[in-house]
Amino acid sequence: MALLEVNDVSKIFPGVRALDQVSFTLQPGEVHALVGENGAGKSTLIKVLTGVYQPDGGELSYRDAPAQFGTPMDAQQAGISTIYQEVNLVPLMSVAQNLFLGREPRTGLGLIDRKRMDREAREILTGYGVTTDVRRQLGTLALGAQQMVALARAVMVDAKVVIMDEPTSSLEPREVQTLFGVIRDLHARGIGIVYVSHRLDELYQICDTVTILRDGKLVHTGKLADLERIKLVSLMLGRDMAEVRREGATAFSGAATGDTDAPPVLRVRKLNSRHKLHDVSFDVRPGEVVGLGGLLGAGRSETIKAIGGAYHLDSGDIQVDGKDLKKPTPVRAVEFGIAVQPEDRKAEGIVPGLSVRENIALAVLPRVSRFGFVSDSKVNEIVDRYIKRLRIKASSPDQAVGDLSGGNQQKVLLARLLATDPKVLLLDEPTRGIDVGAKAEVQSLIDELAAEGLGVVLVSSDAEELVEGSGRVVVLRDGVVVGTLTGDQVTTEDLMATIATEATREH
Amino acid sequence: MSTETVAARPLVDAAKIKAWLPKYGVYAAIVLLVVYNIFFTPYFATWSNLRIQLIQVAPIVIVALGMALVIGTEGIDLSVGSVMALAAAFIPLYLGYGVVAAILVALLAGVAVGLINGILVARVGLQPIVATLALFVGGRGLAVVISEGKLVDIRNQDFLYLGAGDLLGIPVLVWIAALLVLVVGFVVRRTVFGRRLLAIGGNRPAAELAGLPVKRVLITVYVVCAVLASIAGLLSVARIQSSDASSVGLLIELSAITAVVVGGTPLTGGKVRVLGTVAGALLMQLVIATMIKHNLQPSTTEMVQAVIILIAVYVARERKTR
């Protein structure tokens, strides 16, 4: 008897098939891992299960009866609870109030029975390893403890299904163990758990079954113990041969290794940032493309942003061309010749309301102006050069960037970075969400730029893109460099093997 | 093929109107109102009436210019009325040292307030509405303390020339406002500062990542806004020929925000419409004047203003979701 079951569910957004006939079954007392890279459809599936989205096709059944959740409230009342990465409780209320929010114990007069509430809260939370004063404001607790409160609340609502979306991403190792204890307890009580995480070690520790999604499709489901790590990683990252044949391989001409004797243009030593990066070190030589490999949440984007001065570092040294970049800020990083292409183009890259011209010239305004007055001819010179070079397709340089296609938006962003004459280019998923043609163009551009002597750092979840584009791949896991692939090792097989190796690091 | 195009025609027109309205709706409304007044309001189309309208609207235009810049960065400045009061309070105190000295002190008061607002917003990270609320409340109080709560008559003729004088048959006040409109328009379109301001309002994380000096630009915007407000304050003193810190610039922040919004500058930042802002101020002024000339209650006027604001915001919203 399945607890929760979806059959051939699809969800279509304008231009994207976020879920394509995905089936998923959760048994009572089962801890079911749901894995996949960004855009694989995990969040969409969760949102379908919890009533946030209505599926465009397929059916849902819950406790052997057809079900339809019109709103998140419906799903919750039916006994499906979700714990998100970000704790969604009320930070200014007390721990006990949060726990009992909406179903506070009452006194004979119908008023809230505070004493009873506090006492019961204390009893419940002890079981979750939270021994703090329950009258404290929730917001003053450590994130891990807050998450435990959220979990306790979820289970208290008579949950039959608990969905956990990366519950350990902000937890201390000790808290992770407490969480696992709670999960084992829920498991024994017959509650079904959907567990979303990218930490393979955790999955193998706690989960019974696994469902792997890729590009909105189901690629594998079955017992986790029967699935080798390497196989799991290749299922997550790999593309089918059919797909490769259809789209063609990447447009990279070959591994850009640069001049192996040249001093590094970027030297990164021992970057540390709490919970996210631990002693990350690597070099990039001029003309070299260094790939950063790893699963989602491994610290790739954080590394790139930290070098660009946009992510907090507790310690670490960064050198560009032999010069120390102390206390990096975005302003100083740009001065030193570092250009960052952020992962989220819309949120952190383009300024959608401004024109192609303004977007390209944005970072170099002082250079194209005199006494603070912008020279249109100088701006146009730069803008025309990059529109031609990157083959940006816009009706005119005055067109708003927000109206362009994804690929052209990405090119505009790259044009802005290149206009600053950088020494090092840090690219975070440069080909995500752009069409095949633009993808090939961006890939050959990366080759070209490296050939001109730029140092490039490339982050890509597309294993083939990473392997074919990079001369060397630094592999990260949980914020630690776990290996470097060079020369003949730069293959998808070696990449996956390195990602999949078991962590030996002591927490 | 041909039937399709025929069927599609009205749709295209509707889309055109939708795109056209937020950009030019203000101007159309002004034209409509002027035409109505020429026919139905006695003594409307006279030189003296036009003079009065322009003189009255000039301080609002000046304050609204600064407000438009701040709103362009996705901010808001509630303290402009208090800045006007501060400027007004300092004028009589320093007129003894000469007109230039008095004006400089008034402007410096604006710089100081702008710096405080800017630092609270850019460095401390307060929300603009809260940061400027502090000086909205405290600024006027300080101005009243400085002026000892007195209404002071101003008799310095050189200073009063700013408020009552004419140059080539047009009031000096109007010249100054027009000049400031040109300067601000130029700054927005042609300077590094102007373009950075729009980028910050359009997408602040992107502007930061592109290496723009975001905090410096934000602080500068608030200083410019406050200085424009202090100019409006001293001009108001020169026009009414007396300084009363408790009444100068009262509620002007609302008129200024209205002018900006009605003029088509979105509150979401990233865009500043300078001429639209002037038109917005003119439209509201015309509405009030029309109502007064037809002997309608001030309360009616207020309700009509409210309707205009709602229409302006609605039209802008329509375009965004298009």
Side-chain angles (χ1 to χ4, degrees):
Chain A
M1 179 195 104
L3 184 56
L4 181 64
E5 202 174 347
V6 292
N7 275 317
D8 292 336
V9 157
S10 297
K11 178 74 197 173
I12 298 157
F13 294 113
V16 212
R17 218 168 231 283
L19 280 182
D20 194 357
Q21 304 201 324
V22 170
S23 300
F24 174 86
T25 312
L26 182 71
Q27 305 292 343
E30 179 185 51
V31 185
H32 196 136
L34 181 61
V35 295
E37 283 292 279
N38 253 345
K42 280 172 307 176
S43 334
T44 315
L45 180 58
I46 291 178
K47 285 182 177 163
V48 167
L49 295 179
T50 52
V52 179
Y53 292 155
Q54 303 307 313
D56 295 322
E59 54 212 25
L60 222 80
S61 82
Y62 178 57
R63 304 169 84 184
D64 287 331
Q68 199 184 359
F69 302 128
T71 64
M73 191 56 95
D74 289 349
Q76 254 177 47
Q77 276 166 355
I80 299 180
S81 284
T82 318
I83 296 151
Y84 294 97
Q85 241 170 315
E86 321 280 298
V87 180
N88 44 353
L89 296 174
V90 190
L92 291 179
M93 284 189 174
S94 82
V95 173
Q97 278 170 326
N98 268 291
L99 204 54
F100 284 95
L101 196 63
R103 51 208 148 77
E104 294 85 353
R106 304 292 171 122
T107 63
L109 291 170
L111 300 173
I112 292 174
D113 188 346
R114 273 203 101 109
K115 269 191 194 145
R116 203 177 116 205
M117 186 167 85
D118 288 351
R119 192 182 61 237
E120 286 182 10
R122 212 172 298 124
E123 282 164 15
I124 292 167
L125 287 174
T126 319
Y128 291 83
V130 180
T131 48
T132 180
D133 184 351
V134 295
R135 287 166 300 182
R136 260 173 74 179
Q137 276 186 10
L138 181 85
T140 61
L141 264 59
L143 216 51
Q146 291 191 32
Q147 207 138 30
M148 288 301 167
V149 176
L151 181 61
R153 182 179 155 80
V155 176
M156 264 173 65
V157 216
D158 270 337
K160 304 279 182 304
V161 175
V162 178
I163 299 171
M164 300 185 189
D165 191 359
E166 298 210 42
T168 55
S169 60
S170 51
L171 296 190
E172 305 273 357
R174 191 176 45 78
E175 295 170 327
V176 172
Q177 289 314 314
T178 318
L179 177 74
F180 284 1
V182 173
I183 290 177
R184 287 192 189 101
D185 184 38
L186 298 178
H187 165 81
R189 283 163 51 188
I191 292 173
I193 294 164
V194 180
Y195 191 88
V196 179
S197 175
H198 293 94
R199 300 185 175 176
L200 297 186
D201 294 327
E202 287 179 16
L203 296 183
Y204 278 94
Q205 257 190 61
I206 198 80
C207 298
D208 312 313
T209 33
V210 62
T211 292
I212 305 172
L213 299 181
R214 196 175 62 224
D215 299 329
K217 296 190 189 71
L218 176 73
V219 292
H220 178 86
T221 186
K223 284 257 173 277
L224 185 59
D226 298 343
L227 190 69
E228 278 178 88
R229 275 169 183 253
I230 179 84
K231 187 75 182 138
L232 173 70
V233 173
S234 72
L235 284 170
M236 273 172 75
L237 300 184
R239 295 199 288 168
D240 323 329
M241 284 321 289
E243 204 179 330
V244 174
R245 246 175 275 132
R246 194 172 65 243
E247 292 186 2
T250 61
F252 290 114
S253 57
T257 47
D259 180 356
T260 41
D261 296 328
V265 63
L266 175 69
R267 221 178 97 103
V268 176
R269 286 294 174 273
K270 289 188 176 292
L271 296 188
N272 276 295
S273 187
R274 199 172 137 82
H275 292 324
K276 293 293 182 190
L277 302 177
H278 310 279
D279 288 345
V280 173
S281 305
F282 61 91
D283 288 341
V284 182
R285 290 186 296 267
E288 187 184 28
V289 179
V290 173
L292 288 185
L295 297 177
L296 204 71
R300 298 168 301 174
S301 298
E302 287 82 358
T303 304
I304 279 194
K305 279 201 164 170
I307 298 170
Y311 190 83
H312 174 75
L313 276 180
D314 296 319
S315 64
D317 296 315
I318 299 165
Q319 273 188 2
V320 182
D321 244 359
K323 278 180 291 185
D324 274 322
L325 173 57
K326 290 226 171 69
K327 290 192 182 163
T329 63
V331 178
R332 286 168 53 75
V334 171
E335 279 169 13
F336 270 68
I338 295 174
V340 181
Q341 176 247 310
E343 183 183 5
D344 192 337
R345 179 173 62 235
K346 288 217 166 67
E348 300 180 309
I350 56 161
V351 185
L354 294 188
S355 65
V356 171
R357 185 202 316 272
E358 311 260 324
N359 266 284
I360 293 179
L362 189 59
V364 290
L365 287 173
R367 240 182 38 215
V368 293
S369 54
R370 191 182 276 184
F371 309 118
F373 301 125
V374 178
S375 151
D376 276 348
S377 59
K378 281 186 188 165
V379 169
N380 287 338
E381 203 179 292
I382 290 182
V383 170
D384 289 345
R385 184 176 349 132
Y386 286 104
I387 286 184
K388 275 205 197 86
R389 168 150 194 207
L390 305 189
R391 287 185 289 274
I392 296 170
K393 288 180 202 75
S395 61
S396 89
D398 296 317
Q399 193 179 6
V401 169
D403 295 341
L404 299 182
S405 70
N408 281 303
Q409 290 184 357
Q410 190 72 308
K411 289 184 187 174
V412 168
L413 185 52
L414 288 173
R416 178 203 296 163
L417 302 183
L418 295 179
T420 64
D421 285 334
K423 297 192 179 84
V424 185
L425 201 53
L426 309 176
L427 306 173
D428 198 348
E429 303 284 2
T431 64
R432 171 173 301 158
I434 67 181
D435 61 87
V436 181
K439 200 166 181 170
E441 283 184 275
V442 169
Q443 288 169 342
S444 32
L445 176 73
I446 296 172
D447 264 354
E448 255 176 74
L449 293 169
E452 285 169 22
L454 244 74
V456 180
V457 177
L458 174 67
V459 168
S460 175
S461 296
D462 180 342
E464 275 176 39
E465 180 175 275
L466 192 69
V467 165
E468 291 182 18
S470 313
R472 201 151 53 89
V473 176
V474 175
V475 182
L476 291 170
R477 190 177 56 222
D478 297 347
V480 180
V481 176
V482 289
T484 303
L485 310 175
T486 51
D488 293 343
Q489 298 173 314
V490 186
T491 61
T492 43
E493 288 75 28
D494 282 295
L495 172 66
M496 288 169 187
T498 315
I499 292 174
T501 42
E502 250 164 283
T504 48
R505 180 172 57 95
E506 276 299 307
H507 273 296
Chain B
M1 230 3 226
S2 59
T3 48
E4 263 179 43
T5 42
V6 169
R9 175 124 334 136
L11 269 176
V12 170
D13 282 352
K16 260 187 190 162
I17 289 172
K18 262 186 192 168
W20 180 88
L21 253 186
K23 268 191 186 156
Y24 304 107
V26 184
Y27 307 110
I30 291 181
V31 170
L32 277 179
L33 212 55
V34 166
V35 170
Y36 169 85
N37 275 308
I38 288 173
F39 285 105
F40 297 102
T41 311
Y43 309 113
F44 177 81
T46 60
W47 179 233
S48 65
N49 180 48
L50 186 63
R51 262 185 82 98
I52 292 169
Q53 300 305 333
L54 287 178
I55 287 174
Q56 281 181 353
V57 84
I60 297 174
V61 166
I62 296 171
V63 172
L65 287 173
M67 189 67 79
L69 295 180
V70 171
I71 287 177
T73 66
E74 221 181 336
I76 198 128
D77 188 349
L78 296 182
S79 69
V80 284
S82 298
V83 174
M84 287 180 69
L86 273 174
F90 279 118
I91 291 292
L93 291 182
Y94 289 89
L95 261 184
Y97 301 97
V99 174
V100 177
I103 291 176
L104 277 181
V105 170
L107 295 183
L108 273 178
V111 172
V113 173
L115 276 177
I116 295 173
N117 284 339
I119 288 170
L120 286 178
V121 171
R123 293 214 174 266
V124 182
L126 290 186
Q127 285 153 319
I129 196 164
V130 180
T132 58
L133 186 65
L135 280 161
F136 164 76
V137 178
R140 188 171 296 277
L142 182 64
V144 172
V145 170
I146 290 170
S147 64
E148 292 167 353
K150 284 183 299 200
L151 188 153
V152 187
D153 287 327
I154 308 279
R155 294 197 187 76
N156 183 318
Q157 286 309 311
D158 292 339
F159 184 73
L160 292 183
Y161 175 74
L162 292 174
D166 268 12
L167 192 65
L168 305 174
I170 293 171
V172 176
L173 195 59
V174 176
W175 279 114
I176 293 174
L179 184 72
L180 290 173
V181 169
L182 288 179
V183 170
V184 171
F186 181 81
V187 164
V188 169
R189 274 198 193 88
R190 311 279 319 186
T191 66
V192 174
F193 170 71
R195 297 194 180 191
R196 283 178 167 167
L197 178 162
L198 294 180
I200 292 169
N203 188 345
R204 184 162 168 184
E208 266 165 11
L209 219 50
L212 302 199
V214 172
K215 289 175 183 166
R216 203 174 74 210
V217 172
L218 280 178
I219 292 173
T220 313
V221 168
Y222 282 91
V223 167
V224 168
C225 179
V227 166
L228 284 169
S230 55
I231 293 175
L234 66 92
L235 292 179
S236 298
V237 170
R239 182 168 69 88
I240 31 186
Q241 313 200 344
S242 69
S243 163
D244 179 5
S246 59
S247 72
V248 170
L250 207 59
L251 293 184
I252 198 161
E253 58 282 339
L254 299 184
S255 313
I257 294 169
T258 306
V260 174
V261 172
V262 171
T265 301
L267 284 172
T268 43
K271 192 175 276 179
V272 172
R273 288 168 52 90
V274 175
L275 274 186
T277 300
V278 176
L282 280 176
L283 177 63
M284 297 319 273
Q285 177 69 26
L286 270 177
V287 168
I288 296 167
T290 310
M291 297 284 180
I292 291 173
K293 300 231 159 152
H294 288 270
N295 291 322
L296 286 166
Q297 298 291 325
S299 45
T300 317
T301 315
E302 281 158 9
M303 286 187 278
V304 171
Q305 283 177 283
V307 170
I308 293 175
I309 294 171
L310 288 179
I311 291 174
V313 173
Y314 179 76
V315 166
R317 183 203 66 96
E318 279 277 296
R319 184 158 179 264
K320 218 181 159 187
T321 52
R322 183 170 52 108

